[in-house]
Amino acid sequence: MSSDLSPIDKAKFVCAKRASQMVESGMRVGLGTGSTAAWLVRCLGERVRDEGLRIQSVPTSTRTAELARQVGIKVISLDEAKWLDLTIDGADEFDAEMNLIKGGGGALLQEKIVATASDRMVVIADVGKKVETLGAFPLPVEVIPFGWQTTQALVEESLVSMDVLGRESSLRMNGDAPYVTDEGNHIIDLHLKRIGSPRQLAMVLNQMPGVVENGLFIDICDCVVLGYGDGKVEVHEIDSATVASEQVDFADSGNLFSDLSD
Ligand code: 5RP
């Protein structure tokens, strides 16, 4: 089954697998959302089942909570956990300073709350997510439904004085209806092409009434585990400015792949 995975899925799997090894018994762990984070949850479920790993998890979406329960991981609320040892999540883009764009999967609000309430945030990403400058991926901004068009117009107006290349925005849709987040909000995607000053933009966006949160994660990520299609992973640590490279073996995860093909 692992041989059926595309190189990008292999890259997602290996970084998730490597990051799952950072989790220790007794930890309270934030679980991200998205296809890479789903691999992480499956790998952790395998450790719970095979090694008796004991963890309490705080998922960042209903989707992730459902998968975590399915694979036997204990789920608690953030208020029960209060603080987390570690959060592991995917990203849509990251730069050399480990600034991120997140929210492609629509879960940026819970993801930012959970990551911020953690001693450490580890990002798991395939190599395609690494960029020199953020902004090619549309920046998600979560807005409350009340007056969303007015909020969208205000956001677009604020972009005029920002260091960005594009200023178009679009309401995220789910079929014919606006996409609704787990918190009952909508998402406006900003097509900025290039974000010259992510820190400034994040602050300006969050000052706008109607904006709940934006998908720029600044000074939140501590480590990126980067996956490649050939099974190589690199662990980039921001504090020590180190990069450790290793190879992840697919063979010892045979169960995971056969579970998926059932
Ligand atoms: C969800 C996210 C995801 O982490 C991000 O979209 C990456 O997703 P994937 O792992 O599927 O590429 O921010 O809100």
Side-chain angles (χ1 to χ4, degrees):
M1 169 71 184
S2 75
S3 57
D4 297 343
L5 294 180
S6 66
I8 190 162
D9 283 331
K10 280 186 181 162
K12 287 179 182 200
F13 169 74
V14 290
C15 62
K17 172 93 181 162
R18 175 62 185 84
S20 73
Q21 290 156 0
M22 296 173 172
V23 176
E24 293 166 18
S25 260
M27 278 187 168
R28 285 159 300 174
V29 184
L31 301 176
T33 295
S35 55
T36 321
W39 278 119
L40 168 83
V41 175
R42 292 184 198 107
C43 290
L44 286 175
E46 190 182 49
R47 289 194 58 199
V48 167
R49 193 180 59 196
D50 297 351
E51 297 170 29
L53 179 77
R54 286 174 303 99
I55 55 168
Q56 294 180 305
S57 77
V58 176
T60 52
S61 62
T62 48
R63 270 168 289 163
T64 299
E66 214 170 282
L67 179 60
R69 288 195 182 96
Q70 259 172 35
V71 300
I73 300 173
K74 181 168 184 189
V75 171
I76 58 171
S77 70
L78 181 58
D79 286 334
E80 284 171 302
K82 295 193 174 58
W83 194 258
L84 302 170
D85 299 288
L86 172 65
T87 284
I88 306 176
D89 198 351
D92 298 301
E93 282 186 355
F94 72 94
D95 68 13
E97 275 140 44
M98 295 191 194
N99 296 319
L100 319 172
I101 287 185
K102 284 188 51 54
L108 67 111
L109 178 56
Q110 290 192 20
E111 289 172 340
K112 201 181 265 193
I113 294 171
V114 167
T116 305
S118 306
D119 281 342
R120 182 169 155 82
M121 182 199 195
V122 172
V123 161
I124 45 179
D126 58 272
V127 66
K129 308 286 180 61
K130 185 178 175 185
V131 297
E132 225 163 84
T133 310
L134 298 176
F137 192 91
L139 175 65
V141 176
E142 184 155 343
V143 300
I144 62 164
F146 176 82
W148 68 264
Q149 292 179 66
T150 305
T151 304
Q152 180 179 18
L154 276 174
V155 166
E156 280 190 2
E157 203 178 302
S158 76
L159 295 176
V160 173
S161 54
M162 293 289 109
D163 182 7
V164 293
L165 263 190
R167 295 196 173 84
E168 280 175 23
S169 69
S170 53
L171 180 69
R172 191 177 297 182
M173 302 296 287
N174 183 11
D176 291 338
Y179 178 84
V180 179
T181 68
D182 274 352
E183 303 304 317
N185 298 315
H186 295 328
I187 290 185
I188 309 278
D189 287 306
L190 307 185
H191 305 274
L192 307 174
K193 296 179 184 154
R194 179 184 178 281
I195 302 173
S197 179
R199 187 181 302 273
Q200 187 194 16
L201 179 62
M203 283 194 306
V204 167
L205 288 172
N206 278 16
Q207 275 167 5
M208 223 150 287
V211 169
V212 183
E213 192 48 87
N214 70 81
L216 285 165
F217 283 46
I218 313 291
D219 296 337
I220 296 178
C221 173
D222 301 287
C223 168
V224 174
V225 182
L226 192 57
Y228 292 79
D230 63 357
K232 188 177 91 167
V233 291
E234 287 172 359
V235 180
H236 296 243
E237 292 284 354
I238 198 159
D239 278 351
S240 55
T242 54
V243 182
S245 188
E246 59 192 86
Q247 201 71 22
V248 169
D249 195 2
F250 292 94
D252 63 354
S253 293
N255 286 341
L256 263 186
F257 300 117
S258 56
D259 288 351
L260 279 181
S261 58
D262 282 346

